[in-house]
Amino acid sequence: MPVLLPTSRSRPNAADTGHAVVVAGGGPTGLMLAAELALAQVDVAVVERRASQDIVGTRAGGLHARSIEILDQRGVADRFLREGQIVQLAGFAWTRLDISDLPTRHAYGLALRQSHIERILADWVAELAVPVYRNREVTGFAQDETGIDIALSGGGTLRANYLVGCDGGRSLVRKTAGIDFAGSDPTLSNLMAEVEMAQEPAWGLRHDALGFHGLSKAESGRVLVVVTEATLARSGEPGLRDLSDALLAVYGTDFGVQNPAWISRFTDAARQAASYRRGRVLLAGDAAHIHHSVGGQGLNTGLQDAVNLGWKLAQVVKGISPQNLLDTYHAERHPVAARVLRNTRAQIALLRRADDGLIAAREAVSELLGMDEPRRRFGAMMSGLDIRYDLGDGHALLGHRMPDLDVMIDGRPRRLFTLMHSARALLLSFGEAPDPDMVPWADRVSLVRAGYDGAWELPAIGQVVAPKAVLVRPDGHVAWVGDESRRGLAEALTTWLGPAAA
C-alpha cells in the first residue's frame, strides 16, 4: 500500500518521521485536540483510516451549549452556527429542557450532523497546518523513557513524545495499552438507517414493549429510521433484512423499505476506561467512554475532553510543566464521563419499555422537570454548562467555566471569549490593586485589567459574589479567585502553568 503524504503539509518521508504528539483518529475529538495543540505551537499529526473526512451514515446530531462556548472561545463558533439550526436541544428521557433562561450567550443547542461538524473542524485543522496521514491506522506502539514508536498500517513508523487514542469505542490504542474498559453489557439494540420507503411511513415517535422507535425525514429527503430490535442475538454489520424484520416487529409492515444509504447498529453498552493515561499514551472521546446516544452527549463530551487535555499536553511537551499535570486530565474528565454514563443509563431505564410502571415513572419525571429549578439543573447538566472541576474549596467560581462577560478594556467594550482565541491563560483584574509581577509567567499568561459592573451568574448556581481577580485556564475554567492581596496566585500559576521562568 503506498504511503500517503499528509494532506495539510507535505513531508519528504511521511512514514518514518517524528512529531511531538500523534493523535490516532480524525473524528471530532481527534480534530479538536489537534487544533488545541496547534494553537499552542506544538507539532501534532493526525492518523486517520479514512481517505477523506466523509462519513457514511449519520451519528451525532448536534452541539450542546458548552461545546458551542468552547468553539466560541477559539473564535470558530460562527462557522458552525452558520450551517446548523439553533434549537432547544437539551432533553432528558424525551422531556425537552428549555435552557433559554440560563446565563450563557449560547442558551441553546445547535442541530448539525456529525458529517458537517467534522468537515468544519477538518477545515480549521488544515488552516492550522496540521498534517493528516490518511488511509493509515495505528497498528501498535512501544514506549521507552524518551518517547513512543508508533507502527502504521502499510508500513512505516512515527516517533512521538505522546500518543493520544481518539480511535473510538473499539480503540486499538486503549487495548494495546492494556487499559481496562469496565462497564455494562447491552440490554437493548437499536438500528438507525437512512432509506427510501415505497409506502407512507408512520411518522413520529413510538413507544411499546420492545422499546422506542421513530420515523422522520432526513436532510436528504429520505426516511430516517430509529428502531429497537426485538432481540440482542443479532450483531455485526446490519443489513436490509435486519431493518425490515425490526420494522415488521414494531409496525406490522416494513413500509416497502428499500435502497438504504446506510444502516448502523448501536446499543446501550456503557463502558469507561479505568485510566485515561498510561505512560505516554492517553485516551479521549469514545476511546475513553461509550454509552447510548440518548441525550446527545457523546460527541460533546469528546470535544470537551480534547479542550481539557490539549493545553496540559502542550505544556508538558514544551517542558513548561511536569508530567504530573497530565494526571489532572484523568482526575477532572473521568468524573464528567462517569456522570454522563449514569444519566444515559437512567434515561434508558425510563425509556426501555412501555409498561404501566415505567410510563408512570416517565410521567412523574417529566412533571418534575417541568418545574423551573429541576429544569434549570438538568438543563445545565445535559448541556455541559454546570461542569465543575474539583479544584478545592473557595469562591463559587473556582473550577467552573468562566462566563463570557461583556467587559471594558482600555475604555472599549470586549467580549471576554474574544480574549481566549489563542488558547492562552488569562489573569483578569477587576479591582484597583496594583498589577502583580507577571514577568515570570509572561510567556504563558495574558494580564488583562478589565471593568465589569453587571451581576456574576452561573448556570444551576445563580448569582455569585463579584471577584476582584480571576485566573482563567486555557480551557476556560477558573483556576484561582482572589482579592487585592493576590494570596495564593503564585501557587495557582505554578500548579497550572508551570514554575516561574528564571
Side-chain angles (χ1 to χ4, degrees):
M1 180 178 181
V3 171
L4 298 184
L5 295 179
T7 58
S8 303
R9 184 169 74 218
S10 63
R11 290 180 178 271
N13 188 358
D16 294 285
T17 188
H19 300 280
V21 178
V22 169
V23 177
T29 301
L31 292 171
M32 190 74 208
L33 178 59
E36 289 290 292
L37 290 164
L39 287 172
Q41 304 300 308
V42 167
D43 177 17
V44 56
V46 177
V47 176
E48 168 55 37
R49 61 179 175 80
R50 290 173 290 171
S52 72
Q53 208 62 46
D54 296 340
I55 298 176
V56 177
T58 187
R59 300 181 187 181
L63 297 170
H64 282 301
R66 180 55 186 158
S67 296
I68 302 171
E69 283 191 341
I70 65 175
L71 294 166
D72 201 358
Q73 289 172 185
R74 300 301 181 250
V76 297
D78 285 348
R79 304 184 187 195
F80 298 85
L81 293 170
R82 280 195 296 267
E83 296 200 24
Q85 179 181 2
I86 291 175
V87 293
Q88 286 302 321
L89 193 65
F92 187 87
W94 286 6
T95 297
R96 184 65 58 89
L97 300 168
D98 187 342
I99 65 168
S100 60
D101 59 349
L102 296 188
T104 171
R105 199 176 298 273
H106 302 289
Y108 48 77
L110 186 71
L112 186 65
R113 287 292 170 191
Q114 182 171 333
S115 57
H116 301 300
I117 294 169
E118 284 199 21
R119 173 177 45 79
I120 298 168
L121 285 171
D123 288 345
W124 181 33
V125 166
E127 292 170 15
L128 295 170
V130 174
V132 180
Y133 298 97
R134 293 201 175 274
N135 274 341
R136 312 302 294 272
E137 292 184 75
V138 172
T139 59
F141 52 83
Q143 304 186 54
D144 57 40
E145 292 182 358
T146 61
I148 183 167
D149 291 308
I150 303 159
L152 302 183
S153 59
T157 61
L158 295 173
R159 178 73 174 175
N161 296 94
Y162 289 91
L163 169 65
V164 186
C166 301
D167 51 341
R170 298 181 178 90
S171 172
L172 180 139
V173 172
R174 184 191 65 242
K175 293 174 182 176
T176 305
I179 297 174
D180 188 31
F181 204 40
S184 57
D185 292 331
T187 67
L188 64 80
S189 176
N190 294 123
L191 293 179
M192 180 178 279
E194 192 173 314
V195 297
E196 294 177 358
M197 288 183 169
Q199 305 165 23
E200 181 75 9
W203 300 111
L205 299 172
R206 177 174 294 201
H207 215 160
D208 59 23
L210 286 179
F212 47 90
H213 326 279
L215 301 173
S216 60
K217 287 187 178 179
E219 292 176 353
S220 63
R222 291 170 172 251
V223 180
L224 182 63
V225 179
V226 178
V227 61
T228 301
E229 293 187 274
T231 176
L232 288 171
R234 299 183 181 184
S235 60
E237 289 296 322
L240 188 59
R241 178 62 183 271
D242 296 303
L243 183 60
S244 176
D245 289 348
L247 288 167
L248 281 166
V250 174
Y251 297 96
T253 175
D254 67 1
F255 304 104
V257 63
Q258 59 190 356
N259 299 328
W262 52 266
I263 306 173
S264 63
R265 175 179 278 122
F266 59 96
T267 73
D268 65 335
R271 296 186 178 278
Q272 187 173 20
S275 174
Y276 284 13
R277 178 192 175 205
R278 178 155 294 177
R280 296 181 177 274
V281 177
L282 298 112
L283 304 174
D286 288 354
H289 41 75
I290 60 167
H291 50 83
H292 196 277
S293 62
V294 65
Q297 300 167 94
L299 182 150
N300 293 269
T301 305
L303 291 179
Q304 292 158 34
D305 286 346
V307 175
N308 182 284
L309 175 60
W311 64 277
K312 297 173 180 177
L313 188 52
Q315 288 182 185
V316 172
V317 165
K318 290 179 172 182
I320 294 170
S321 294
Q323 288 193 19
N324 60 16
L325 180 64
L326 296 177
D327 295 333
T328 69
Y329 167 60
H330 172 92
E332 292 177 356
R333 293 303 299 172
H334 194 275
V336 171
R339 186 174 68 158
V340 171
L341 265 65
R342 185 182 66 182
N343 77 52
T344 54
R345 283 183 173 123
Q347 292 179 77
I348 291 299
L350 289 169
L351 295 172
R352 183 67 183 85
R353 297 184 306 278
D355 62 43
D356 290 345
L358 282 174
I359 291 172
R362 282 196 298 273
E363 289 174 349
V365 170
S366 182
E367 182 178 349
L368 179 68
L369 294 178
M371 302 175 186
D372 280 347
E373 184 60 22
R375 171 185 60 80
R376 291 191 188 104
R377 284 188 174 272
F378 271 65
M381 175 182 70
M382 298 303 294
S383 61
L385 290 170
D386 73 341
I387 292 172
R388 177 187 181 271
Y389 301 136
D390 185 4
L391 306 187
D393 298 328
H395 195 282
L397 278 169
L398 191 64
H400 278 284
R401 48 177 277 289
M402 180 67 185
D404 184 21
L405 306 176
D406 291 308
V407 297
M408 295 294 294
I409 300 173
D410 296 328
R412 295 184 300 170
R414 295 283 301 274
R415 282 181 49 211
L416 193 143
F417 280 7
T418 65
L419 307 177
M420 303 183 69
H421 290 179
S422 62
R424 279 171 60 89
L426 299 175
L427 178 60
L428 299 163
S429 177
F430 295 96
E432 299 299 326
D435 292 335
D437 178 14
M438 295 300 296
V439 171
W441 289 277
D443 60 331
R444 289 158 261 171
V445 187
S446 297
L447 175 61
V448 179
R449 182 168 287 279
Y452 181 71
D453 296 327
W456 289 69
E457 190 173 1
L458 296 176
I461 291 179
Q463 291 195 9
V464 300
V465 176
K468 297 295 184 182
V470 177
L471 176 64
V472 183
R473 305 187 321 189
D475 61 355
H477 283 257
V478 175
W480 171 86
V481 182
D483 54 24
E484 286 86 348
S485 72
R486 305 293 194 258
R487 185 181 298 109
L489 175 58
E491 291 83 353
L493 288 165
T494 301
T495 297
W496 297 111
L497 302 168

